[in-house]
Amino acid sequence: MGYDSSATRARLLDAAFDEFVRVGFAGARVDRIAAAASANKQAIYAYYGSKDALFDAVLTDRLTVLADMVPFTPGDLPGYTRALFDALTADPGLLRLTQWKALERPGASQLERDAHVTKAAEIAEAYGASLEAGMDVLMLVVVAAQAWATTAPEIRNPDDADEPARLARHRAAMVKAIEATVGALLPAPEVATDRKLRI
């Protein structure tokens, strides 16, 4: 049976994800990543060139998986926020990875910028709003979807209620908040349609 380089790459990405989530970029060690992937350090440099490039590859891979799991629906932002919330709650590792990136490697990559600007433009197109308004709403959607996971349990559940029930109530409140946000910051869809017909 021949050597499967794609399997090695996949193992390295998975092992690197676990390592970066656990200790961040600065604390990650390529020898630990290689050992966890049943590979050698030379494989990391052969496939990715550097630890920096490996981190970028991991982040791109996980964001691609998230995009596949949670398709962007500019015409239903409350539904998108709910789906994004569910994905981040089920797998908090991605959110932790992006937090490490923000702390250790601030600034957006071209891929990240393009992804956000594209989403904001789709919102602007769907509602007949400006790109800036679309970005404002997108930022609020992302923050709302992350709020539960980034708030300490002692704060997000002040009454020590049943945790799953509390999570469900927060999820419902979040959806209502995004519905209100869309209503307050974006023109109604029928207004956007009228504007397009007049152009």
Side-chain angles (χ1 to χ4, degrees), residues 74-75 121-130 182 185-199:
E122 290 179 15
I123 293 171
E125 173 68 17
Y127 290 88
S130 68
V182 170
L185 299 182
L186 296 173
E190 58 269 18
V191 174
T193 300
D194 289 345
R195 285 180 180 172
K196 290 177 184 177
L197 290 175
R198 288 197 299 270
I199 292 175

Side-chain angles (χ1 to χ4, degrees), residues 76-144:
D76 180 17
L77 291 172
Y80 173 72
T81 310
R82 183 191 303 112
L84 184 59
F85 171 85
D86 290 344
L88 294 176
T89 302
D91 181 13
L94 176 59
L95 184 54
R96 188 169 175 82
L97 182 69
T98 58
Q99 289 174 321
W100 277 119
K101 180 190 177 299
L103 285 170
E104 299 180 315
R105 303 174 73 199
S109 69
Q110 191 63 45
L111 178 68
E112 291 173 288
R113 184 186 184 281
D114 290 347
H116 283 77
V117 170
T118 296
K119 287 184 175 69
E122 290 179 15
I123 293 171
E125 173 68 17
Y127 290 88
S130 68
L131 180 61
E132 182 177 284
M135 185 60 76
D136 283 340
V137 172
L138 177 63
M139 290 165 63
L140 292 170
V141 163
V142 171
V143 169

Side-chain angles (χ1 to χ4, degrees), residues 7-24 28-39 44 48 54 58 61-62 97:
T8 302
R9 285 174 182 264
R11 291 198 309 273
L12 285 170
L13 285 176
D14 287 343
F17 174 74
D18 292 340
E19 177 79 358
F20 289 134
V21 166
R22 189 172 64 84
V23 296
R29 297 290 176 264
V30 293
D31 54 344
R32 286 198 299 257
I33 294 170
S38 300
I44 291 175
Y48 300 103
L54 177 60
V58 168
D61 178 66
R62 295 295 165 148
L97 182 69

